[in-house]
Amino acid sequence: MMNRETFLSTLSQELDALPKEERDDILYDYNEHFESAMAEGIPEREIVGKLGSPKFIAKEILLSSSIEKTEKGMTAGNILGIIGASIGLS
């Protein structure tokens, strides 16, 4: 089972397609989640277990990002990005 460092590192790598600022915001939020849960006495490994796979989380985030971009301006590239991300989730 992975720890916080491995979880955040994997999530960061999987979110590489996002702009750095957006990726950093997401990683900050997940790090804060770890901090809060650990302050309540929950071990890192249990937190990781509850969060799930960082690869799956990244795929969901990337899909959501593609959908938002498509809503702002429909392009063939955006549509293909959504299709690819959707396939990756299955």
Side-chain angles (χ1 to χ4, degrees):
M1 180 151 254
M2 67 176 64
N3 61 17
R4 170 173 51 175
E5 183 179 332
T6 305
F7 179 92
L8 294 173
S9 175
T10 302
L11 184 59
S12 178
Q13 290 172 356
E14 295 295 321
L15 294 174
D16 193 46
L18 293 178
K20 182 180 180 342
E21 184 177 308
E22 187 175 349
R23 185 175 60 248
D24 287 348
D25 286 346
I26 292 166
L27 293 172
Y28 177 84
D29 289 343
Y30 275 93
N31 192 52
E32 285 295 306
H33 182 75
F34 273 96
E35 291 294 324
S36 296
M38 289 172 65
E40 293 177 18
I42 302 171
E44 275 186 17
R45 292 177 185 232
E46 187 176 331
I47 299 164
V48 169
K50 288 181 180 182
L51 288 174
S53 165
K55 290 183 179 188
F56 185 78
I57 292 168
K59 287 179 182 181
E60 288 180 322
I61 291 169
L62 292 171
L63 176 60
S64 177
S65 178
S66 293
I67 291 170
E68 287 176 20
K69 288 177 185 173
T70 299
E71 288 174 349
K72 291 179 182 175
M74 194 78 97
T75 68
N78 290 346
I79 294 169
L80 290 175
I82 291 171
I83 293 170
S86 297
I87 292 169
L89 284 174
S90 55

